[in-house]
């Protein structure tokens, strides 16, 4: 998703030469959006750590990965560590309220994936798996959600209600580990049962209503079908971010602008989760997840402007 050759001509050549690209990174039919597409641009409002370290690294050019010695810009996308010119202590660390699994298609280009950003910035809470090597989720589906658009997808605010479909319908008390065992089959929740579910939801409030892990797919749109239909992902609650618009510089023709890049999807989900599920005011706690993304957006936008392409 990000090619780290940073002079203007290389960036533009790379941008123009792309053909097919991605699912959550929406890179098929690449073209940088014009300023009119970014009215009320949320990136301008982010509370970010100083990006001076990235400015210095850009001027220095590519550097070695301290682990594999590969030449990279900013970070190594195979080792998930900053390069030698980017001191680790100058990169922000974000603590997340949930664990995140990212399932990456084996043919997805490592250097173009924003999934790496999540691992770099929240290393303790993010795990990247290369498909088909993924965990078994069936026994934990009452505490897991898959972030992916689809016919049966629900909104973030409805996660708490729908997760209860995977648990036994019982009223909680202070001594019971309520709403924990998954059903073998999903049960239809009738309106009169909502009272019981609401009590379970209240019981689970301190744990984010039982949700403990979220899953994202990092793949081209043409390759998502193989992963999303994998039997290990069947039966998981599916969630769609319906109100957010992408700022990704590779717009995918024919796809709605609510199809986000991987790191955008992670960021916006967590913001919505913080407000809708935890019921807390959002004060920029997860903004640094876009630390690299926002820098690259500005860099590429400026390169386009300098080349007279906007």
């Amino acid at each position: 998703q990000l090619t780290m050759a940073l002079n203007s001509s290389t960036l533009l050549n790379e941008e123009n030469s792309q053909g097919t690209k991605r699912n959550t990174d929406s890179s098929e039919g690449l073209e940088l959006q014009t300023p009119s597409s970014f009215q009320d641009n949320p990136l301008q409002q982010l509370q970010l750590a100083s990006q001076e370290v990235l400015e210095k690294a850009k001027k220095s050019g590519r550097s070695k990965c301290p682990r594999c010695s590969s030449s990279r810009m900013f970070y190594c996308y195979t080792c998930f560590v900053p390069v030698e010119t980017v001191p680790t202590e100058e990169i922000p660390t974000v603590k997340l309220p949930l664990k995140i699994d990212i399932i990456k298609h084996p043919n997805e280009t490592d250097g173009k994936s924003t999934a790496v950003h999540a691992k770099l910035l929240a290393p303790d809470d993010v795990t990247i798996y290369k498909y088909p090597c993924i965990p078994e989720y069936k026994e934990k589906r009452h505490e897991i959600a898959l972030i992916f658009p689809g016919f049966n997808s629900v909104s973030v605010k409805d996660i708490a209600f729908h997760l209860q479909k995977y648990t036994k319908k019982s009223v909680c008390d202070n001594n019971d580990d309520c709403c924990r065992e998954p059903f073998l089959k999903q049960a239809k929740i009738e309106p009169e049962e909502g009272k019981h579910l609401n009590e379970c939801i209240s019981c689970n409030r301190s744990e984010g209503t039982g949700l403990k892990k979220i899953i994202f797919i990092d793949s081209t749109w043409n390759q998502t079908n193989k992963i999303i239909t994998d039997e290990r992902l069947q039966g998981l609650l599916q969630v769609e971010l319906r109100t957010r618009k992408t700022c990704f510089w590779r717009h995918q023709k024919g796809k709605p602008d609510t199809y986000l890049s991987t790191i955008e999807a992670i960021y916006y989900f967590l913001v919505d989760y913080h407000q809708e599920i935890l019921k807390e005011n959002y004060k920029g706690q997860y903004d640094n997840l876009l630390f690299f993304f926002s820098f690259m957006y500005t860099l590429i936008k400026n390169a386009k402007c300098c080349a007279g392409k906007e």
Side-chain angles (χ1 to χ4, degrees), residues 81-83 86-93:
V81 295
V83 295
V86 181
T88 303
E89 61 271 17
E90 294 189 41
I91 299 299
T93 300

Side-chain angles (χ1 to χ4, degrees), residues 180-288:
R180 288 301 179 195
E181 270 189 66
F183 280 132
L184 292 178
K185 294 183 178 179
Q186 293 188 37
K188 181 179 179 181
I189 306 299
E190 301 296 339
E192 59 268 19
E193 295 170 345
K195 293 181 180 179
H196 299 301
L197 292 182
N198 288 336
E199 292 180 38
C200 288
I201 289 170
S202 297
C203 182
N204 278 332
R205 176 66 67 191
S206 63
E207 297 184 7
T209 64
L211 183 64
K212 293 184 177 180
K213 179 177 288 187
I214 45 177
I215 303 169
F216 294 85
I217 295 175
D218 191 50
S219 167
T220 64
W221 282 108
N222 291 335
Q223 295 169 336
T224 52
N225 187 62
K226 184 175 182 179
I227 296 179
I228 197 65
T229 57
D230 189 287
E231 62 179 8
R232 290 167 291 183
L233 299 181
Q234 302 312 298
L236 294 178
L237 179 64
Q238 201 164 312
V239 178
E240 182 174 357
L241 304 175
R242 297 168 177 167
T243 62
R244 305 293 191 173
K245 295 184 179 181
T246 185
C247 286
F248 191 46
W249 45 90
R250 295 185 180 99
H251 180 69
Q252 185 171 14
K253 292 181 179 179
K255 299 297 182 183
D257 56 7
T258 52
Y259 281 19
L260 308 171
S261 67
T262 303
I263 194 62
E264 285 179 300
I266 292 172
Y267 169 73
Y268 284 125
F269 174 86
L270 290 171
V271 172
D272 288 349
Y273 173 85
H274 195 87
Q275 296 173 320
E276 299 286 353
I277 303 298
L278 299 184
K279 300 297 183 182
E280 297 178 9
N281 292 331
Y282 182 69
K283 299 179 180 179
Q285 292 91 330
Y286 316 122
D287 282 10
N288 275 320

Side-chain angles (χ1 to χ4, degrees), residues 28-266:
E28 184 179 343
L30 308 181
E31 51 187 36
L32 186 70
Q33 301 179 42
T34 61
S36 60
S37 303
F38 291 101
Q39 293 178 2
D40 301 322
N41 174 14
L43 299 184
Q44 296 175 352
Q45 308 301 323
L46 295 175
Q47 300 179 41
L48 297 173
S50 172
Q51 294 175 320
E52 184 179 356
V53 62
L54 301 182
E55 289 285 358
K56 291 180 179 178
K58 176 176 68 97
K59 294 176 182 178
S60 299
R62 300 168 72 90
S63 181
K64 285 186 178 181
C65 168
R67 293 186 183 176
C68 68
S69 296
S70 297
S71 177
R72 303 281 190 252
M73 180 64 76
F74 300 141
Y75 56 80
C76 179
Y77 43 75
T78 52
C79 299
F80 309 138
V81 295
V83 295
E84 293 177 346
T85 55
V86 181
T88 303
E89 61 271 17
E90 294 189 41
I91 299 299
T93 300
V94 185
K95 180 61 182 174
L96 307 183
L98 300 165
K99 297 299 181 182
I100 293 178
D101 283 358
I102 299 174
I103 302 173
K104 182 177 178 297
H105 194 281
N107 293 337
E108 179 66 4
T109 304
D110 291 337
K112 298 182 182 296
S113 172
T114 58
V116 181
H117 299 182
K119 182 62 178 175
L120 282 160
L121 298 164
D124 294 336
D125 297 315
V126 175
T127 304
I128 297 179
Y129 296 94
K130 182 169 287 190
Y131 188 81
C133 298
I134 65 174
E136 293 286 347
Y137 294 111
K138 184 176 181 181
E139 297 303 319
K140 296 288 186 179
R141 64 178 182 153
H142 57 292
E143 56 188 35
I144 294 175
L146 171 64
I147 314 304
F148 195 84
F151 181 76
N152 294 317
S153 297
V154 304
S155 64
V156 174
K157 68 179 180 179
D158 293 327
I159 288 176
F161 179 81
H162 287 278
L163 271 183
Q164 308 312 314
K165 295 181 181 181
Y166 300 89
T167 64
K168 287 184 176 179
K169 300 188 291 290
S170 61
V171 179
C172 304
D173 61 45
N174 292 333
N175 298 318
D176 290 337
D177 183 20
C178 72
C179 301
R180 288 301 179 195
E181 270 189 66
F183 280 132
L184 292 178
K185 294 183 178 179
Q186 293 188 37
K188 181 179 179 181
I189 306 299
E190 301 296 339
E192 59 268 19
E193 295 170 345
K195 293 181 180 179
H196 299 301
L197 292 182
N198 288 336
E199 292 180 38
C200 288
I201 289 170
S202 297
C203 182
N204 278 332
R205 176 66 67 191
S206 63
E207 297 184 7
T209 64
L211 183 64
K212 293 184 177 180
K213 179 177 288 187
I214 45 177
I215 303 169
F216 294 85
I217 295 175
D218 191 50
S219 167
T220 64
W221 282 108
N222 291 335
Q223 295 169 336
T224 52
N225 187 62
K226 184 175 182 179
I227 296 179
I228 197 65
T229 57
D230 189 287
E231 62 179 8
R232 290 167 291 183
L233 299 181
Q234 302 312 298
L236 294 178
L237 179 64
Q238 201 164 312
V239 178
E240 182 174 357
L241 304 175
R242 297 168 177 167
T243 62
R244 305 293 191 173
K245 295 184 179 181
T246 185
C247 286
F248 191 46
W249 45 90
R250 295 185 180 99
H251 180 69
Q252 185 171 14
K253 292 181 179 179
K255 299 297 182 183
D257 56 7
T258 52
Y259 281 19
L260 308 171
S261 67
T262 303
I263 194 62
E264 285 179 300
I266 292 172

